[in-house]
Amino acid sequence: MAEKNAGGTVGAAGRALAADRADAIRNVVLVGHSGAGKTTLVEHLLAATGTVQRPGRVEDGNTVSDFDEVEVRQQRSVNLAVAPLTYGGVKINLLDTPGYADFVGDLRAGLRAADAALFVVSACEGVDGLTQMLWEECAQVGMPRAVVITKLDHQRANFEEVLVTCQDVFGDGVAPLYLPVITNGHVNGLIGLLSQKFYNYASGDRAEKDPGAEYAAQIETYRGDLIEGIIQESEDESLMERYLAGEPIDGIMLIEDLEKAVARGSFYPVLCTGSGVGATEVLELITQGFPSPLEHCQHEVSDLSGKPVQDIACDPEGPLLAEVVKTTSDPYVGRISLVRVFSGTLRPDMTVHVSGHGLAERGHEDHDVDERIGTLSCPLGKQQRTTPKAIAGDIVAVAKLSRAETGDTLSDVERPLCMTAWSMPEPLLPVAIRARSKADEDKLSQALARLVAEDPTLRLENNAETRQLVLWCMGEAHTDVVLDRLAKRHGVEVERIELRVPLRETFGGKCQAMGRNVKQTGGHGQYAICHIEVEPLPSGSGFEFVDKIVGGVVPRQFIPSVEKGVRAQMERGVVAGYPMVDLRVTLYDGKAHPVDSSDMAFQIAGQLALKEAASKVPTLLLEPVDELSVLVADDYVGSVMSDLSSRRGRVLGTEPVGTGRTLVKAEVPELEITRYAIDLRSMSHGTGTFHRSFLRYEPLPPNLASKVTAAD
């Protein structure tokens, strides 16, 4: 939007940026696939405003956003990072998000904290499926968006081609504000389509010139489309008639209508960057076109009883309402919470109410506590610059909130509030781990608790059946980062082990058996004989114990002892050590001794009887079967259905969901989908999602059952 304002004031490097008015704040999240250039764009915007002296490079590991050791080593973003700067008297909080699907938790946190989104698209790679899904997600909540095409100086860059792709994928309302001028693979400047001026960066600074006759036809084509798009979004209904009649439209009026359309999320301008060109134009769009927090729709808020609260506005003088969008734990600094303030003003040393609800199934128990705020700081990468306050609309880092977790609400102690938890994908990749040494085992529990508190996409399960510690992650990259943090940040070494799926056992037929526990020793011996009949029940029926004793052959007080012994043996299994299910056991005869019979003697007899029965009929291993709902683009439905069939799955049917997507429903053995999160992402190019839920147990095929039995 250089047509309206050709410059702006900049922020001083190394100084904390403080905002005194909510209308002078912009919270902008950068979204795009991994490698699109989000972090590099942040560096150029910081350098353009004087926040840093020179832009860093991802390859050199010296960027502001990617300061974590894992990010430096892998040369990609894995964390949400905040980079504040000032331009034109406006504080801009840039939220740099990871582009890899495994780290969608941090991406969702960035969307939660932002009021507008910059979709960063590489000029040589185009738009991937994940970026398209995020665009649709932003559309559902009406978030204002703009597109920045990067890497125009790359040898494979093609501005026209990627622009058409963006218009096809993102839909109506996508139009360029500038055209790049590229000479010998180098971006020399930009042509403003509304001003029809050439902004030349050849000398390093922006100089305004006439574009020249050679660009006239190109300007006319793109400018006409841009003006028509702006007029269609204009609130002045007479503007289209005047335009069609050939009447010239005032440029200032067009820019004002453009800014209004961008702010309300109905028009999506396209900008471009490359060779250090375009940072000023992006900053102008953010400050003039994107909405302030005052224009942002408030999220759902309730009191602690669940009653909706409607009177919360973005007012620094209003009641405190803030949300922890990210938590990090440092062994030396402690816990640091990144907080978006929606109402009121946050100050150091004030006491706030911390409320967390709705994530109990992921290991985050509901909690309501009061805590004192520590130091407030304005984060710039790994630098924490102290700030005296954070008003409504701003983003700030809070130190030493020991109980606060990602997603928690901070509010006044006298008026506790709770914000509705944001949508988070379910972690669906199970990884079994164990401590490498006794020293690691002692520290493992505390280290994992800290990681789970800061990452809502990580779930911890201590499986009592398999006696394994299982991390539920988003994918392999997420797993690698979690294990790396355990080792580097918390000094805990673990190793991955083979995941065990909890199976079950049952009888393959009906039979009778006797349990004989007769031992004569000096003093009291053991005497208990029981006759039982065992028969399998339909899947899901559980266990039934039937008493058919007549004549007191087994005294009444010992009948529960037989049942207790049978249940104990069922828990231990009889073939491979897995619990037995779906059985009816009938006690129909037995013998007792007036002196040597006891509760324990009949418990042992019950166990022996069940073992004896297992030797007479086939014993089946049962595997858990899950109900799977897979949502994929129509192009991948055939591949997904074929893959599910190869996993011994039964496809139940398909149904269309929205435009261009299909929901595939199937029943699949759990043994076959332990790594389905990775395989589906590969098949669907990162666009497929799935949900699983336990359905029932079914017999394991004999060839697989023999392998399990041999292994155990």
Side-chain angles (χ1 to χ4, degrees):
M1 294 186 176
E3 294 85 346
K4 184 174 180 180
N5 182 6
T9 59
V10 300
R15 185 181 62 187
L17 308 177
D20 296 320
R21 307 186 332 270
D23 62 353
I25 298 174
R26 301 292 185 272
N27 297 310
V28 181
V29 60
L30 281 77
V31 176
H33 64 78
S34 184
K38 300 182 295 298
T39 301
T40 301
L41 176 59
V42 169
E43 290 296 312
H44 285 292
L45 296 178
L46 292 171
T49 56
T51 310
V52 298
Q53 293 183 346
R54 63 179 63 88
R57 297 176 71 247
V58 173
E59 297 80 3
D60 296 336
N62 60 354
T63 62
V64 169
S65 301
D66 293 351
F67 59 88
D68 190 284
E69 290 182 2
V70 178
E71 295 174 314
V72 173
R73 192 162 56 249
Q74 297 184 1
Q75 295 188 2
R76 66 177 176 189
S77 301
V78 301
N79 298 310
L80 171 69
V82 181
L85 53 87
T86 58
Y87 184 83
V90 176
K91 179 184 179 183
I92 303 172
N93 291 314
L94 297 174
L95 296 152
D96 186 15
T97 64
Y100 198 65
D102 277 21
F103 309 108
V104 68
D106 279 60
L107 190 150
R108 292 285 176 86
L111 291 173
R112 180 75 165 196
D115 303 309
L118 279 178
F119 277 74
V120 181
V121 178
S122 167
C124 51
E125 296 172 4
V127 181
D128 70 345
L130 180 62
T131 304
Q132 182 179 357
M133 291 172 60
L134 290 171
W135 182 275
E136 295 170 0
E137 188 174 318
C138 290
Q140 291 175 0
V141 298
M143 177 175 282
R145 285 149 282 160
V147 179
V148 179
I149 297 177
T150 61
K151 300 186 178 181
L152 286 169
D153 46 359
H154 195 279
Q155 60 182 2
R156 293 191 292 109
N158 189 320
F159 173 76
E160 290 80 8
E161 183 178 302
V162 77
L163 175 62
V164 171
T165 300
C166 290
Q167 292 172 330
D168 290 342
V169 172
F170 297 148
D172 298 334
V174 177
L177 292 184
Y178 301 90
L179 295 179
V181 176
I182 303 174
T183 306
N184 297 325
H186 184 79
V187 184
N188 294 322
L190 305 171
I191 297 175
L193 292 175
L194 291 181
S195 66
Q196 302 184 79
K197 298 293 184 181
F198 173 37
Y199 301 100
N200 192 340
Y201 284 83
S203 63
D205 296 323
R206 187 168 74 168
E208 186 176 309
K209 298 181 179 181
D210 290 327
E214 67 268 28
Y215 297 105
Q218 191 178 18
I219 292 173
E220 182 179 357
T221 299
Y222 284 104
R223 187 172 190 271
D225 294 340
L226 174 62
I227 292 176
E228 288 181 11
I230 295 173
I231 291 175
Q232 287 177 358
E233 298 296 333
S234 174
E235 298 175 353
D236 185 352
E237 297 180 358
S238 66
L239 205 58
M240 179 62 77
E241 297 178 5
R242 291 159 52 193
Y243 175 72
L244 294 176
E247 181 180 337
I249 308 298
D250 180 61
I252 299 298
M253 182 182 298
L254 285 173
I255 293 173
E256 290 176 351
D257 284 339
L258 169 64
E259 292 172 356
K260 292 177 182 177
V262 172
R264 66 172 176 262
S266 60
F267 191 80
Y268 320 106
V270 178
L271 299 92
C272 40
T273 63
S275 303
V277 174
T280 300
E281 287 73 18
V282 173
L283 291 167
E284 288 169 352
L285 170 70
I286 292 173
T287 54
Q288 299 168 27
F290 279 166
S292 73
L294 293 173
E295 304 166 77
H296 183 80
C297 296
Q298 286 286 8
H299 301 288
E300 293 182 7
V301 182
S302 64
D303 59 22
L304 297 187
S305 67
K307 182 180 179 181
V309 177
Q310 305 291 346
D311 59 341
I312 305 296
C314 184
D315 180 6
E317 303 301 323
L320 178 65
L321 179 67
E323 186 174 39
V324 179
V325 295
K326 182 173 177 60
T327 308
T328 56
S329 299
D330 188 280
Y332 306 104
V333 180
R335 183 172 293 186
I336 298 176
S337 304
L338 187 65
V339 174
R340 162 72 193 261
V341 184
F342 290 95
S343 175
T345 300
L346 204 59
R347 292 184 172 86
D349 297 325
M350 69 185 295
T351 301
V352 299
H353 183 80
V354 179
S355 179
H357 295 266
L359 290 174
E361 72 280 359
R362 299 200 181 185
H364 301 261
E365 296 182 357
D366 292 353
H367 51 274
D368 290 282
V369 296
D370 294 341
E371 287 200 80
R372 182 178 294 275
I373 294 291
T375 305
L376 297 183
S377 57
C378 187
L380 180 65
K382 57 185 175 182
Q383 299 179 26
Q384 298 290 336
R385 302 169 296 171
T386 304
T387 186
K389 63 180 180 179
I391 66 168
D394 209 351
I395 297 174
V396 67
V398 181
K400 297 181 180 179
L401 284 177
S402 60
R403 189 64 184 88
E405 300 178 353
T406 300
D408 283 3
T409 304
L410 309 183
S411 56
D412 289 326
V413 175
E414 295 79 13
R415 190 186 182 188
L417 299 171
C418 188
M419 297 183 68
T420 302
W422 71 80
S423 172
M424 277 289 179
E426 185 74 18
L428 293 167
L429 177 66
V431 179
I433 62 170
R434 67 183 174 198
R436 189 161 290 177
S437 66
K438 182 63 172 65
D440 292 320
E441 187 175 346
D442 295 338
K443 297 183 292 183
L444 181 59
S445 178
Q446 184 178 9
L448 285 174
R450 290 181 177 178
L451 291 179
V452 170
E454 66 186 59
D455 186 355
T457 63
L458 176 65
R459 182 161 59 89
L460 179 63
E461 176 191 2
N462 203 334
N463 195 306
E465 289 189 37
T466 62
R467 295 183 292 279
Q468 286 187 323
L469 190 62
V470 181
L471 293 176
W472 287 85
C473 305
M474 297 301 300
E476 281 289 356
H478 187 206
T479 304
D480 292 342
V481 168
V482 170
L483 299 186
D484 186 277
R485 285 175 177 162
L486 276 175
K488 300 292 195 303
R489 186 185 295 176
H490 300 285
V492 179
E493 294 287 345
V494 298
E495 55 188 12
R496 299 171 65 163
I497 58 177
E498 184 178 354
L499 180 75
R500 296 186 65 192
V501 173
L503 305 180
R504 295 289 186 269
E505 299 177 11
T506 194
F507 278 60
K510 184 177 180 180
C511 69
Q512 293 182 343
M514 177 184 70
R516 177 183 174 86
N517 179 28
V518 178
K519 294 181 180 179
Q520 297 296 330
T521 59
H524 278 298
Q526 295 187 44
Y527 192 97
I529 298 174
C530 63
H531 295 266
I532 64 172
E533 181 179 77
V534 183
E535 58 183 313
L537 296 176
S539 177
S541 299
F543 171 66
E544 292 182 20
F545 184 81
V546 181
D547 172 18
K548 285 191 176 181
I549 293 296
V550 292
V553 291
V554 175
R556 305 305 302 173
Q557 69 268 25
F558 295 140
I559 292 175
S561 302
V562 177
E563 179 181 356
K564 189 174 181 181
V566 169
R567 286 183 179 273
Q569 189 60 50
M570 287 179 64
E571 284 297 315
R572 292 194 292 268
V574 294
V575 176
Y578 294 104
M580 302 199 77
V581 295
D582 302 330
L583 292 181
R584 178 186 291 126
V585 175
T586 302
L587 176 63
Y588 66 89
D589 198 2
K591 291 183 180 180
H593 189 277
V595 176
D596 293 339
S597 291
S598 64
D599 169 67
M600 182 55 66
F602 272 98
Q603 283 191 44
I604 295 173
Q607 297 174 25
L608 294 173
L610 192 66
K611 288 182 179 179
E612 173 70 17
S615 67
K616 293 184 176 182
V617 294
T619 304
L620 304 179
L621 280 180
L622 305 177
E623 61 177 339
V625 176
D626 285 358
E627 185 177 42
L628 214 62
S629 298
V630 187
L631 182 62
V632 292
D634 292 344
D635 295 341
Y636 307 119
V637 171
S639 299
V640 168
M641 293 175 64
S642 176
D643 177 73
L644 291 174
S645 297
S646 70
R647 296 172 186 267
R648 298 188 287 122
R650 292 183 291 272
V651 177
L652 304 179
T654 63
E655 59 183 74
V657 177
T659 303
R661 291 189 190 171
T662 298
L663 185 68
V664 181
K665 292 188 176 181
E667 297 176 357
V668 189
E670 194 174 306
L671 283 168
E672 304 290 341
I673 54 173
T674 55
R675 295 179 59 82
Y676 192 63
I678 300 171
D679 300 333
L680 177 62
R681 184 174 299 161
S682 176
M683 277 186 293
S684 64
H685 294 233
T687 62
T689 59
F690 74 100
H691 173 75
R692 58 187 280 185
S693 59
F694 172 75
L695 190 61
R696 61 178 175 271
Y697 280 95
E698 289 185 356
L700 191 66
N703 60 319
L704 297 179
S706 60
K707 292 181 181 178
V708 172
T709 305
D712 292 330

